[in-house]
């Protein structure tokens, strides 16, 4: 019994000491090194408008809804889409009745926004992302919207497609992940070209 | 399915053993007391810690003393994380002014992190301040993993020693694991992650010109140890699907590697410490074989997509370079199907429980595989430390079953497996299913529990089954549609997680104590060789049969019936 009580002392002291090392010294050291070596990334990969206001983060999607912008993937965050202070997914199972209703509504909305576009709609524009903050769409989804954006902005299609190509991120090292287009960077580039 | 998808999965299985082998050698060295240049750097700190802890940090402990040390340390851990959350509003480093956490949620989260579960009933960015994340959750990310390693070392010593009462010293094992293994790896990984875009700052959330408030925090430091320690509790609600927790396919690759690295190295370390490296290689091969099969199965199920969506008119679901296709609902585009499937299987095979996609939105068979991996008692790599001691219990069971078949007294590594060992093994093997199935059954008939479901019918049952499977096995991932932040789930969940962790850990320490006291018999002609492919296959068979027999009826009510409905509903 004396041993059991005696154990409480090293248990408490070990927790305090190791907490100071792993809970204070370690994160502060990482913060110091990160802010010194990679300040842009460590502070949220921020992008700015031409007049110096915060446009957003290159990694965090936004609720783009105007016809002259590229639109991102559906977002399930609450209370509004792309709430970057409360990430969340929809968590709808494959048979949830709401899922097919939502997808059908998204199809109808995209068709209504671009009635002249006969091409089938890429899947990623119809399905919500896991974080609700996905900054990317597939190259196919960017291509699908290119004509609409070019028309809304009065820009030549070739110029819009060149911007898509510039914002396209390939698979890392040719293998990892998927080819994708960063919608935030793409819209920032469009705004800089033609505010 | 594409060649690239299989290539991404294969690449992981090629690189993991290449990194695990040198790490195992390093671990052998540092647990023998020689931490090389790190020892030169951190040695004074290590000796200072022992000095403060006093005489108990010196000398051997028997299994009871070892167990009491683990329990006392964990008890203070729960108390500290609980108290930090309740006092959050009065503590510094709280730029968003988060208020105190409700006590049932705080208890659930405290137990969850101390037991290495990291079940997320809290939503990080809107509930917890950076200080609580660092000093509460982050600390337990290290210490719960180091505790798992310590118990694992005690069990390995049970096999490698003979006629001994000592199993090592918990305080020494804990300190060495933290200082020389977890800290350096975490520091290195955290900086790699920041370079790719993970944030690391104490600044308040900035607001864009369009009014979007962007959550930030000291994420990289937390994230690195969350994966290395197979913890899995996210800084953000969306966990590793959040672009600030997992910004690129490379970070996704690194996170999967990080959460499997120490469990894989632990298997090899076991072979080294018992003096027969083939034993470790056999265990690792058996684990990786099951994991590879699971990853491919999930990938195929998810790549097949959801026919409810892909058969709608005007939908482009053709997989190709410019669009991944498959079941993209609840997945991030940068990861696509293959990375998400690999992550989902690696996070449930190990007891990490982080997610880079919403498991709730998986196809029924795609979601079944992660659930089954947890139901294999977290033996396929498993948690840091806890995975190997869990697997060794199944090895004892396999040796026992094999012994019954030929009518010989079973022995493993020269240790006779006798009634006491089998009693402890039976407790470990049988407790977990009880902790999963009884609460699931209870929740399925309680109206207050059922209001938390996010999906109707069979999928709703899957949410319940997944939740208690995850908590009892200290995994922490979820079918996230379940709104678990209610007193019922918070309190019952805390009890399940505690019993799941310590109901396994204590019998394992008792087993270790009894094994250490036995002599190691010389291998005879009649000894069952346990390093062969034959035994690896037999071991896999035992793990699968125990898991499948126990859980098949429950799985039939959830994912299996749902998959049949999905096929039936498709024109």
């Amino acid at each position: 019994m004396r041993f059991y009580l005696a154990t409480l002392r090293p248990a408490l002291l070990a927790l305090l000491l190791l907490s100071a090392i792993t809970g204070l010294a370690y994160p502060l050291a990482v913060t110091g090194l990160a802010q010194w070596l990679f300040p842009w990334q460590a502070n949220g990969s921020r992008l700015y408008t031409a007049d110096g206001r915060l446009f957003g983060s290159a990694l965090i999607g936004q609720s783009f809804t105007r016809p002259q912008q590229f639109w991102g993937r559906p977002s399930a965050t609450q209370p509004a889409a792309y709430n970057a202070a409360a990430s969340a997914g929809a968590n709808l199972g494959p048979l949830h009745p709401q899922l097919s209703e939502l997808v059908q509504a998204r199809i109808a909305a995209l068709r209504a926004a671009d009635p002249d576009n006969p091409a089938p709609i890429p899947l990623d524009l119809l399905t919500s992302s896991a974080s609700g903050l996905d900054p990317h769409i597939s190259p196919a989804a960017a291509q699908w919207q290119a004509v609409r954006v070019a028309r809304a902005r009065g820009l030549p299609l070739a110029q819009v497609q060149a911007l898509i190509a510039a914002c396209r991120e390939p698979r890392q090292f040719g293998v990892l992940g998927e080819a994708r287009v960063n919608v935030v960077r793409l819209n920032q580039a469009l705004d800089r070209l033609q505010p | 399915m594409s060649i690239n998808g299989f290539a991404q999965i294969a690449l992981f299985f090629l690189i993991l053993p290449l990194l695990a082998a040198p790490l195992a050698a390093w671990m052998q060295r540092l647990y023998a007391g020689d931490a090389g240049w790190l020892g030169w750097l951190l040695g004074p700190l290590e000796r200072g810690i022992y000095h403060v802890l006093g005489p108990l940090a010196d000398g051997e402990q028997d299994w009871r003393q070892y167990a009491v040390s683990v329990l006392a340390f964990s008890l203070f851990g729960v108390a500290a994380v609980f108290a930090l959350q309740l006092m959050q509003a009065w503590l510094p480093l709280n730029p968003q002014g988060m208020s105190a956490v409700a006590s049932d949620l705080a208890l659930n989260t405290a137990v969850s992190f101390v037991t290495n579960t990291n079940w997320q009933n809290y939503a990080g960015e809107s509930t917890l301040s950076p200080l609580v994340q660092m000093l509460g959750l982050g600390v337990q990310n290290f210490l719960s993993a180091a505790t798992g390693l310590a118990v694992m070392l005690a069990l390995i010593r049970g096999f490698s020693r003979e006629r001994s009462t000592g199993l090592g010293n918990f305080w020494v094992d804990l300190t060495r694991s933290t200082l020389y293994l977890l800290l350096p790896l975490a520091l290195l990984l955290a900086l790699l992650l920041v370079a790719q875009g993970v944030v690391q700052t104490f600044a308040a959330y900035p607001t864009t010109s369009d009014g979007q408030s962007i959550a930030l925090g000291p994420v990289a430091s937390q994230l690195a140890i969350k994966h290395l320690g197979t913890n899995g509790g996210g800084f953000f609600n969306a966990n590793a699907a959040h672009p600030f927790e997992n910004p690129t396919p490379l970070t996704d690759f690194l996170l999967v590697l990080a959460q499997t690295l120490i469990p894989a190295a632990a298997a090899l370390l076991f072979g080294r410490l018992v003096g027969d490296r083939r034993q470790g290689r056999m265990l690792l091969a058996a684990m990786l074989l099951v994991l590879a099969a699971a990853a491919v199965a999930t990938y195929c199920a998810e790549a097949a997509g959801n026919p409810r969506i892909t058969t709608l008119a005007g939908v482009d679901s053709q997989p190709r370079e410019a669009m991944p296709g498959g079941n993209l609902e609840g997945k991030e585009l940068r990861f696509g199907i293959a990375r998400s499937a690999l992550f989902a299987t690696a996070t449930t095979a190990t007891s990490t429980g982080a997610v880079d996609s919403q498991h709730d939105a998986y196809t029924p068979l795609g979601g079944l595989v992660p659930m089954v991996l947890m139901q294999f008692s977290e033996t396929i790599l498993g948690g840091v430390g806890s995975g190997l001691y869990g697997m060794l219990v199944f090895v004892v069971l396999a040796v026992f079953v094999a012994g019954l078949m030929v009518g010989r007294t079973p022995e493993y590594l020269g240790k006779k497996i006798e009634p006491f060992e089998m009693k402890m093994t039976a407790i470990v093997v049988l407790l977990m299913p009880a902790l999963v199935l009884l609460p699931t059954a209870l929740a399925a008939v309680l109206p207050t529990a059922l209001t938390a479901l996010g999906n109707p019918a069979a999928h709703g049952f899957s949410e319940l089954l997944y939740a208690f499977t995850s908590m009892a096995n200290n995994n922490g991932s979820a079918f996230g549609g379940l709104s678990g932040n209610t007193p019922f789930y918070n309190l019952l969940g805390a009890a399940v997680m505690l019993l799941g962790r310590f109901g396994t850990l204590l019998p394992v320490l008792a087993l270790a104590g009894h094994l250490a006291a036995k002599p190691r018999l010389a291998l005879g002609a009649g000894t069952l060789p346990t390093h062969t492919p034959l035994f690896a296959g037999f071991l896999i068979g035992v793990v699968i049969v125990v898991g499948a027999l126990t859980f098949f009826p429950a799985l039939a009510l959830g994912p299996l019936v749902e998959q049949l409905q999905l096929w039936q509903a498709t024109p």
Side-chain angles (χ1 to χ4, degrees):
Chain A
M1 197 62 209
R2 256 175 72 204
F3 171 83
Y4 299 143
L5 285 177
T7 301
L8 294 176
R9 187 175 163 268
L12 185 60
L13 291 172
L15 181 66
L16 290 175
L17 288 175
L18 293 174
S19 291
I21 295 169
T22 61
L24 290 175
Y26 159 73
L28 292 176
V30 173
T31 308
L33 287 168
Q35 291 288 341
W36 175 49
L37 294 170
F38 311 106
W40 186 70
Q41 292 96 318
N43 291 308
S45 307
R46 298 182 195 191
L47 302 176
Y48 292 90
T49 58
D51 55 356
R53 289 174 304 147
L54 182 63
F55 182 81
S57 164
L59 295 173
I60 302 291
Q62 301 183 21
S63 182
F64 297 113
T65 49
R66 289 183 290 146
Q68 57 269 48
Q69 290 173 319
F70 282 88
W71 301 338
R73 299 185 60 194
S75 159
T77 60
Q78 298 296 332
Y82 286 99
N83 178 355
S87 58
N91 282 309
L92 297 176
L95 276 171
H96 200 302
Q98 218 184 325
L99 178 64
S100 29
E101 284 166 23
L102 277 170
V103 171
Q104 278 163 343
R106 286 167 192 155
I107 294 175
L110 287 167
R111 289 266 174 245
D114 194 4
D116 303 332
N117 189 345
I121 305 168
L123 200 54
D124 52 311
L125 287 180
L126 303 172
T127 49
S128 65
S129 63
S131 62
L133 302 172
D134 197 340
H136 295 111
I137 53 176
S138 67
Q143 217 37 257
W144 191 84
Q145 304 184 56
V147 176
R148 184 200 77 225
V149 172
R151 191 175 347 116
R153 289 198 177 246
L155 289 172
L157 181 61
Q159 199 172 1
V160 172
Q161 278 173 333
L163 280 180
I164 294 178
C167 294
R168 182 182 165 129
E169 298 168 22
R171 289 196 167 114
Q172 264 176 314
F173 314 114
V175 184
L176 296 178
E178 300 293 332
R180 58 211 183 271
V181 173
N182 188 314
V183 188
V184 183
R185 284 185 183 276
L186 183 55
N187 283 327
Q188 187 210 20
L190 278 167
D191 280 0
R192 289 201 159 202
L193 192 72
Q194 186 201 57
Chain B
M1 282 168 283
S2 67
I3 292 174
N4 168 269
F6 287 110
Q8 296 201 44
I9 294 171
L11 188 65
F12 161 72
F13 284 98
L14 282 176
I15 290 184
L16 176 63
L18 292 182
L19 292 179
L23 186 64
W26 165 247
M27 288 166 80
Q28 182 182 22
R29 212 177 129 186
L30 80 89
Y31 289 126
D34 170 18
W37 63 272
L38 271 175
W40 177 80
L41 199 68
L42 296 172
L45 185 61
E46 185 195 356
R47 287 188 290 277
I49 290 174
Y50 299 151
H51 180 74
V52 174
L53 296 192
L56 288 180
D58 192 25
E60 291 282 315
Q61 296 178 317
D62 67 23
W63 79 262
R64 285 189 182 81
Q65 294 169 326
Y66 206 99
V68 168
S69 305
V70 172
L71 288 179
F73 185 64
S74 303
L75 180 75
F76 283 119
V78 172
V81 181
F82 183 68
L84 278 171
Q85 292 178 85
L86 293 192
M87 297 186 302
Q88 171 168 266
W90 299 291
L91 295 173
L93 273 184
N94 185 0
Q96 296 303 118
M98 307 279 186
S99 54
V101 181
S103 56
D104 60 321
L105 176 59
L107 179 70
N108 184 283
T109 306
V111 167
S112 170
F113 274 75
V114 172
T115 57
N116 200 257
T117 313
N118 315 72
W119 175 263
Q120 248 179 292
N121 274 349
Y122 66 93
E125 66 265 55
S126 56
T127 316
L128 301 174
S129 71
L131 184 85
V132 173
Q133 293 253 19
M134 277 167 25
L135 204 52
L137 311 192
V139 165
Q140 287 305 325
N141 280 351
F142 278 97
L143 301 185
S144 66
T147 302
L149 283 166
V151 174
M152 173 196 85
L153 287 170
L155 180 59
I156 296 178
R157 290 182 191 122
F159 283 109
S160 65
R161 293 180 177 180
E162 54 183 336
R163 297 189 179 89
S164 158
T165 52
L167 291 177
N169 185 295
F170 172 71
W171 308 111
V172 173
D173 292 338
L174 177 80
T175 308
R176 288 212 177 120
S177 302
T178 307
L179 291 185
Y180 299 130
L181 182 65
L182 298 173
L183 260 181
L185 284 174
L187 190 63
L188 182 69
L189 180 62
L191 291 176
L192 283 173
L193 293 170
V194 175
Q196 285 287 304
V198 176
V199 293
Q200 179 75 22
T201 170
F202 292 100
Y205 300 174
T207 304
T208 68
S209 52
D210 277 350
Q212 187 188 34
S213 168
I214 299 178
L216 299 172
V219 179
S221 54
Q222 184 105 337
L223 180 64
I225 188 60
K226 158 197 165 198
H227 286 264
L228 283 165
T230 63
N231 295 283
F235 197 95
F236 298 107
N237 185 45
N239 208 298
H242 195 293
F244 279 156
E245 274 204 47
N246 197 351
T248 65
L250 177 62
T251 55
D252 194 73
F253 182 83
L254 291 173
L255 294 180
V256 172
L257 205 55
Q259 68 203 23
T260 47
L261 181 60
I262 297 178
L268 298 177
L269 174 71
F270 172 71
R272 287 170 168 270
L273 291 181
V274 298
D276 182 358
R277 293 191 194 181
R278 296 171 306 176
Q279 305 287 346
R281 287 198 285 263
M282 182 283 293
L283 287 178
L284 183 59
M287 291 169 175
L288 293 185
L289 206 63
V290 177
L291 180 58
V296 169
T298 310
Y299 176 47
C300 293
E302 291 306 293
N306 178 357
R308 281 276 177 108
I309 294 176
T310 52
T311 53
L312 290 173
V315 176
D316 173 8
S317 59
Q318 179 60 43
R320 57 190 185 277
E321 181 77 20
M323 211 275 292
N327 181 21
L328 275 180
E329 172 68 25
K331 293 193 178 58
E332 298 283 294
L333 197 89
R334 60 194 179 281
F335 306 138
I337 305 297
R339 290 230 64 80
S340 300
L342 178 63
F343 197 111
T345 42
T347 196
T348 46
T350 68
S351 78
T352 309
V355 294
D356 79 346
S357 53
Q358 301 292 351
H359 292 187
D360 211 350
Y362 273 39
T363 62
L365 289 183
L368 173 114
V369 176
M371 211 178 322
V372 168
L373 281 172
M374 291 187 282
Q375 288 164 349
F376 289 163
S377 305
E378 293 296 5
T379 53
I380 310 304
L381 292 174
V384 165
S386 61
L388 186 72
Y389 67 65
M391 186 52 142
L392 287 175
V393 168
F394 271 84
V395 170
V396 169
L397 181 65
V399 168
F400 174 74
V401 173
L404 284 184
M405 287 175 174
V406 294
R408 277 183 54 91
T409 308
E411 56 186 75
Y412 179 53
L413 303 175
K415 298 280 186 178
K416 272 199 173 134
I417 306 299
E418 289 170 307
F420 182 83
E421 286 75 39
M422 288 321 297
K423 280 178 196 160
M424 294 302 116
T425 302
I427 291 174
V428 172
V429 171
L430 294 178
L431 179 71
M432 185 276 285
L435 289 176
V436 174
L437 294 173
L438 297 178
T440 304
L442 179 67
V445 295
L446 274 185
T448 49
L450 290 175
T451 53
L453 296 186
N455 279 271
H459 200 83
F461 181 76
S462 298
E463 285 182 344
L464 288 178
L465 182 62
Y466 195 104
F468 289 106
T469 300
S470 171
M471 289 188 270
N473 286 290
N474 300 129
N475 180 275
S477 67
F479 271 13
L482 183 82
S483 310
N485 186 14
T486 65
F488 173 79
Y489 287 103
N490 280 334
L491 299 178
L492 182 61
V496 167
M497 290 187 283
L498 277 175
L499 287 168
R501 174 80 162 180
F502 296 102
T504 305
L505 185 151
L506 293 176
V508 162
L509 283 175
L511 183 66
H514 279 74
L515 286 170
K518 292 174 190 246
R520 272 186 91 165
L521 307 173
L523 303 181
T527 308
L528 173 72
T530 49
H531 62 270
T532 58
L534 178 69
F535 185 77
F538 185 69
L539 176 63
I540 293 172
V542 168
V543 170
I544 291 179
V545 166
V546 169
L549 285 184
T550 316
F551 290 104
F552 183 81
L555 292 170
L557 293 173
L560 291 177
V561 74
E562 194 193 4
Q563 185 70 47
L564 294 175
Q565 287 172 326
L566 191 65
W567 280 329
Q568 189 200 25
T570 310

